[in-house]
Amino acid sequence: MSLEFGSTYHPGDHVKMQVPFVDLRAQYDLLKPSVDEAIQRVIDRSAFIGGEEVQAFEQEYAQLFGVKHCISTANGTDSLYIVLKMLGIGPGDEVITVANSWISTSETISQTGARVVFCDIEPDYFTIDPVQVERLITKNTKAIVPVHLYGQSCNMDALTEISDKFDIPIVEDCAQSHLAEFRGKRTGLYGVAGSFSFYPGKNLGAYGDAGCIITNDDALAMKFRMFARHGALKKHNHEMEGINSRMDGLQAAVLRTKLPYLESWTAMRQSRARLYDEWLSEIPQVHIPIVREHSTHVYHLYVIRTDHRDQLAAFLSEKGIQTGIHYPTALPNQPAYGYLGHKPTDFPIASEYQSKILSLPMYPELSESQVQFVCDAINTFSSA
Ligand SMILES: *Cc1c(COP(=O)(O)O)cnc(C)c1O
């Protein structure tokens, strides 16, 4: 990386340049002929729910991961719920998860009837702190749900050790970590199951809601599929009550068109992150994301930490640069979890970070000059 500030754009460009937070349209523009053809194919066959496209997607996704089973679902929230339910988790049980995540992670635990037990994050990596996980284990703990937040793996060495020691299964929330690795093994392959989301803005995004579960456990795979299809593997043969969580043919066709690009899109995210790293590391007020040893970061989000976060976001917004906050209120501090009676000081790191984290524009099509424009603006703000 030998790019320097000012090397690929002219000062006048600043006035016009807009940097969106994500740009789904840019990806469609690149793939238009094949996406349009895939959508037309589904309409021609009129296989709108399930069908060949969905089956083919499940096979291709399983192949990509070298995993025995991929079960498509309607969304990543359902994927988590299906796994937890089919592990037999319910009232009286406890499930440990992380204080900083999207609410799907904790919501689905409560939906089973179990109690959510929140754990603080590691200061360097934003992911669940294994040392505290171990302290939170009781005789009622039935699962641990780590989230590979922002696209980086949790400490799977420590979590696997805890899982083995106490014989408690790990359910991985991989909604932000498609293809991220830890010790050369992909996230989603460490726990009893990996839960994925294909929400449009995720690293692999459908044109609506979609998700899946991967697992190498034959018996669980069958249960996941059955529960997600009204408790029936054969039509009209309901072995249990389940839920309706199926993938649309249209979503499967779009996902199949995009899947071959996932690796190169990931590499493009990583190269943009390297540029951010390089240019932002010179600004003392900004903490850039740290990559865990033995792991790859797939940068679903590029998240910096800084004081005066809100002023910086406002300043960037004025320059036409969109940012996000993931997440502005840690889950235990949300009104929805008021009943747990926590204070923000119970989760000191997550509670401190909620007012310091800022997600910068990140998507594969983001150009080098856009990254440069963003970094330049942050530099201007920080030197003021
Ligand atoms: C997106 C997301 C989910 C839920 O996925 P949906 O497909 O939107 O239901 C779950 N967990 C995390 C961490 C997510 O980012």
Side-chain angles (χ1 to χ4, degrees):
M1 302 291 154
S2 60
L3 275 161
E4 289 158 32
F5 279 109
S7 63
T8 57
Y9 69 93
H10 304 287
D13 293 345
H14 290 203
V15 186
K16 288 165 278 162
M17 193 173 321
Q18 298 281 320
V19 189
F21 182 61
V22 288
D23 189 351
L24 301 180
R25 177 71 207 204
Q27 201 170 68
Y28 173 62
D29 288 341
L30 290 171
L31 298 179
K32 187 176 185 327
S34 47
V35 168
D36 290 357
E37 188 275 322
I39 290 173
Q40 192 58 52
R41 198 167 68 221
V42 174
I43 297 170
D44 287 342
R45 285 187 197 151
S46 296
F48 294 114
I49 306 262
E52 276 173 46
E53 295 287 341
V54 174
Q55 268 179 16
F57 174 72
E58 288 180 341
Q59 276 164 18
E60 288 159 11
Y61 203 71
Q63 222 159 42
L64 178 65
F65 280 80
V67 70
K68 279 165 88 177
H69 306 280
C70 171
I71 298 99
S72 57
T73 63
N75 58 69
T77 308
D78 281 359
S79 300
L80 287 167
Y81 177 63
I82 292 162
V83 173
L84 295 169
K85 275 293 273 190
M86 292 302 98
L87 287 175
I89 290 164
D93 297 336
E94 293 172 6
V95 177
I96 300 172
T97 194
V98 66
N100 185 28
S101 184
W102 175 241
I103 196 166
S104 301
T105 316
S106 50
E107 210 173 37
T108 47
I109 294 169
S110 306
Q111 280 162 10
T112 67
R115 186 176 174 87
V116 184
V117 177
F118 286 113
C119 179
D120 206 357
I121 56 173
E122 298 172 291
D124 281 347
Y125 310 109
F126 305 102
T127 43
I128 195 164
D129 181 350
V131 174
Q132 299 190 47
V133 168
E134 187 157 356
R135 288 191 207 131
L136 292 168
I137 288 174
T138 71
K139 61 177 188 345
N140 297 321
T141 308
K142 292 289 152 58
I144 302 165
V145 185
V147 181
H148 306 299
L149 200 73
Y150 306 154
Q152 163 150 266
S153 174
C154 298
N155 181 345
M156 295 316 293
D157 278 348
L159 291 173
T160 304
E161 205 180 300
I162 293 168
S163 168
D164 291 347
K165 181 170 159 193
F166 295 93
D167 197 20
I168 297 170
I170 291 174
V171 176
E172 298 178 71
D173 186 343
C174 306
Q176 303 188 2
S177 71
H178 313 73
L179 302 189
E181 292 177 358
F182 180 77
R183 292 198 189 279
K185 182 163 146 183
R186 285 189 175 144
T187 56
L189 298 172
Y190 277 90
V192 287
S195 165
F196 289 83
S197 166
F198 304 120
Y199 178 81
K202 297 287 159 78
N203 285 22
L204 179 63
Y207 282 6
D209 277 313
C212 82
I213 304 162
I214 62 171
T215 184
N216 277 313
D217 186 313
D218 298 338
L220 276 178
M222 200 195 65
K223 284 189 181 176
F224 296 159
R225 192 173 291 282
M226 191 186 285
F227 187 68
R229 314 283 185 262
H230 296 292
L233 286 177
K234 271 194 308 198
K235 207 170 187 179
H236 303 306
N237 187 10
H238 305 279
E239 301 199 21
M240 57 161 117
E241 286 185 328
I243 61 169
N244 174 9
S245 188
R246 302 175 295 213
M247 189 186 278
D248 295 355
L250 285 169
Q251 303 311 336
V254 169
L255 289 169
R256 288 187 69 203
T257 309
K258 289 183 163 200
L259 193 58
Y261 299 92
L262 184 57
E263 284 178 299
S264 64
W265 284 336
T266 302
M268 286 162 81
R269 285 176 183 273
Q270 289 165 337
S271 88
R272 298 308 173 256
R274 292 291 80 78
L275 292 174
Y276 272 132
D277 285 349
E278 186 182 333
W279 291 327
L280 295 178
S281 60
E282 289 159 27
I283 306 173
Q285 295 90 336
V286 170
H287 297 272
I288 61 172
I290 303 172
V291 180
R292 188 188 297 283
E293 262 203 324
H294 313 297
S295 69
T296 60
H297 197 317
V298 298
Y299 296 101
H300 171 57
L301 297 168
Y302 187 93
V303 178
I304 60 168
R305 282 186 293 121
T306 185
D307 298 333
H308 313 296
R309 187 266 319 271
D310 293 337
Q311 293 93 317
L312 174 59
F315 180 83
L316 295 177
S317 171
E318 265 170 44
K319 301 236 166 222
I321 300 165
Q322 281 179 351
T323 56
I325 301 171
H326 301 86
Y327 297 90
T329 306
L331 292 172
N333 303 334
Q334 287 281 3
Y337 294 105
Y339 71 92
L340 290 173
H342 287 303
K343 304 178 297 299
T345 46
D346 293 341
F347 307 94
I349 313 289
S351 298
E352 183 199 329
Y353 282 12
Q354 68 182 26
S355 57
K356 295 194 168 165
I357 47 180
L358 186 66
S359 310
L360 302 182
M362 174 54 80
Y363 48 93
E365 299 78 12
L366 185 71
S367 72
E368 290 188 1
S369 55
Q370 284 175 310
V371 176
Q372 203 162 37
F373 180 57
V374 175
C375 294
D376 216 14
I378 296 173
N379 197 26
T380 304
F381 175 84
S382 304
S383 346

